[in-house]
DNA sequence: GCAAAAGTGTTTCGTTTACACCCATGC
DNA sequence: GCATGGGTGTAAACGAAACACTTTTGC
């Protein structure tokens, strides 16, 4: 029998963290899952997570487990509930503190690092371990609520994005369709978006992260000229500018607004 | 040394629940606190709560502790976060799952049952134990958010209430002032309020809970005729009706609306 | 060149806000 | 009867929703 060296006067439950990571590939929302290699629920998929260490709080524990199991190094996660039903883990009494996180497009490929981590579109989610089905529903619910008031959508996109990309993201999360023109207006009048008005010849080789790897954007199907095409065009005629307007999220301006009047991103 | 009979292979934190109970006396928002009788933080005030048993989930544990310590038997509590910082309890590693609850006017007097439970107006809160100051701020924040979308205000009032009472409650929670006429319109057009249009001679001795004890209403300063005055008037002239319109919350209608279109109580 | 998606303004409608007077009640 | 608080309607301003055509892009 294994050594049981941590003893208490009263029974203590085990405490774990779990993290529901959402990603967006330009078309649909995905979640990151880990295939369980051992019992219980061996072969089932589960959210990355694990037991909390004694020298870390829940947020720290969830970020650590996420990095260990998937290679994802995120900064912001948000607690959305605890799961404490008595029989939820067959081994012992386990209480889980659950978080959700948003991964940028550029993080989506990082999933390959961890052998058993894989992205699943929301409508192709496999059988999940423990009460993780329920956990997923709760996470979706919280995400839908939060996106009305917090600029969380931008965490799922690259540093720059187009309006249609942003709109598709909102539509994916909320499950509704918006009028394109009204969406533009509403987003622009929030004042937290900045138009990126740069010269196309630098734009394609410039500082925007997702631009570095064309394969991602090709995968995502983002309508954009291919490098060879655009560069040849550019050198032919400099006055001919790329039309697709790209935007970036101005966090500083958002923080200012938020302090002034309780600012809301309503949709 | 005390017997340490519950042993585990890895260290386990202790898990507690805490419950922030809000009450409304007609004028201001109050919270229910317990004076701690032993170390740590002996003599400080704290939210009712305690260690989770192994045969109950967090909600059940919080409700049990609440009943044990304050005599309050509530049905609905809402989790608003966990508190898991490493040093938050000097005795051992303790993780607390925190809930908030709303007590009706008629519950306010029940606080006398538990010797050491006492209501405090929000601006006269004493020094709190552990990280309960922080917990209170988080609870207030969550309550403010929730009241925009959920009919939680009604849980703080009696079965029937007047518009000004309801308005004062919203103003207390949100810390703002509303125009009386606009408040009426907005509340009425939600369709979840029912006007109680009963005969005054029954109204004063009828089924509405908070009517049974005039002392509470006197304490609350709710403008309403005193029993002797109104009854004499009633017997003098039956056509003279009580003017103060009272309302009740129609939960059934709210549930219907909520299912149809995602219904919101916006303020 | 053609089909598909991006970009842009205006009008209509509904909601929110601002505002003032009379009536009922309690003292 | 007087002061306090309760009850009601309307007009102006604002924000949301509906809607069509031109330009750009990708094939």
């Amino acid at each position: 029998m294994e050594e049981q060296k941590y003893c208490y006067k009263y029974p203590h439950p085990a405490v774990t963290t779990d993290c529901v990571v959402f990603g967006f590939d330009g078309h649909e929302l995905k979640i990151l899952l880990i295939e369980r290699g051992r019992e219980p629920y061996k072969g089932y998929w589960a959210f990355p997570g694990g037991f909390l260490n004694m020298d870390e709080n829940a947020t720290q524990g969830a970020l650590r487990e996420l990095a260990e199991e998937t290679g994802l190094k995120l900064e912001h996660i948000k607690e959305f509930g605890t799961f404490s039903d008595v029989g939820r883990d067959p081994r012992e009494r386990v209480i889980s503190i659950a978080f959700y996180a948003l991964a940028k497009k550029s993080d989506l490929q990082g999933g390959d690092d961890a052998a058993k981590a894989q992205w699943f579109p929301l409508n192709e989610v496999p059988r999940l371990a423990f009460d993780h089905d329920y956990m997923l529903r709760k996470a979706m619910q919280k995400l839908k609520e939060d996106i009305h008031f917090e600029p969380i959508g931008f965490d799922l996109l690259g540093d720059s994005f187009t309006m249609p990309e942003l709109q598709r993201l909102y539509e994916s999360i909320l499950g509704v369709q918006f009028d394109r023109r009204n969406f533009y207006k509403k987003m622009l009048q929030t004042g937290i978006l900045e138009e990126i008005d740069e010269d196309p010849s630098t734009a394609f080789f410039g500082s925007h992260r997702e631009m570095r790897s064309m394969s991602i954007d090709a995968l995502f199907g983002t309508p954009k000229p291919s490098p060879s095409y655009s560069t040849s065009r550019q050198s032919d005629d400099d006055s001919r500018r790329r039309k697709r307007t790209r935007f970036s999220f101005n966090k500083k301006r958002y923080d200012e607004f938020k302090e002034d009047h309780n600012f809301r991103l309503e949709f």
Side-chain angles (χ1 to χ4, degrees), chain A residues 33-35 45 68-71 110-119:
Chain A
L33 298 173
I34 305 278
E35 190 172 10
W45 294 79
E68 284 175 14
E69 296 189 345
T70 71
D112 301 327
D113 293 351
K116 301 201 167 169
Q118 200 175 309
W119 290 97

Side-chain angles (χ1 to χ4, degrees), chain A residues 30-65:
Chain A
K30 300 188 171 183
I31 55 171
L32 187 59
L33 298 173
I34 305 278
E35 190 172 10
R36 285 185 60 82
R38 56 178 127 174
E39 296 294 346
Y41 293 101
K42 183 174 177 176
Y44 284 57
W45 294 79
F47 294 116
F51 292 96
L52 189 65
N53 290 341
M54 298 305 267
D55 61 351
E56 63 189 6
N57 67 23
T59 306
Q60 290 160 351
L63 288 171
R64 175 184 53 74
E65 288 283 354

Side-chain angles (χ1 to χ4, degrees), chain A residues 202-221:
Chain A
T202 63
F204 286 110
F205 306 105
S207 60
H208 291 291
R209 203 195 306 177
E210 80 283 6
M211 298 274 188
R212 294 214 191 95
S213 120
M214 279 304 164
S215 62
I216 303 180
D217 291 301
L219 174 71
F220 295 151

Side-chain angles (χ1 to χ4, degrees), chain A residues 76-127:
Chain A
H76 302 296
I77 56 178
K78 183 153 179 173
E79 187 185 322
F80 68 88
T82 59
F83 296 80
S84 62
D85 282 345
V86 172
R88 60 181 294 280
D89 190 313
R91 294 167 292 185
E92 64 173 321
R93 182 76 200 279
V94 176
I95 289 169
S96 184
I97 304 173
F99 295 80
Y100 75 78
L102 307 172
K104 282 187 194 291
K105 283 167 77 171
S106 50
D107 297 323
L108 282 178
Q109 45 190 1
D112 301 327
D113 293 351
K116 301 201 167 169
Q118 200 175 309
W119 290 97
F120 289 88
L122 275 173
N123 50 11
E124 297 169 28
V125 172
R127 192 82 181 280

Side-chain angles (χ1 to χ4, degrees), chain A residues 24 26 105 154 157-169 183-184 187 193 196 210-211 222-224 242-248:
Chain A
F24 184 65
K105 283 167 77 171
F154 309 109
L157 296 166
D159 294 337
S160 84
F161 45 85
T162 66
M163 241 355 143
E165 280 170 358
L166 186 62
Q167 183 173 350
R168 274 193 294 272
L169 172 57
F183 187 88
Y184 264 68
M187 270 298 167
L193 291 190
I196 298 182
E210 80 283 6
M211 298 274 188
T222 310
K224 192 165 48 171
R242 173 172 54 92
K243 187 61 190 307
R244 292 288 172 268
T245 325
R246 300 190 72 83
F247 297 89
S248 69

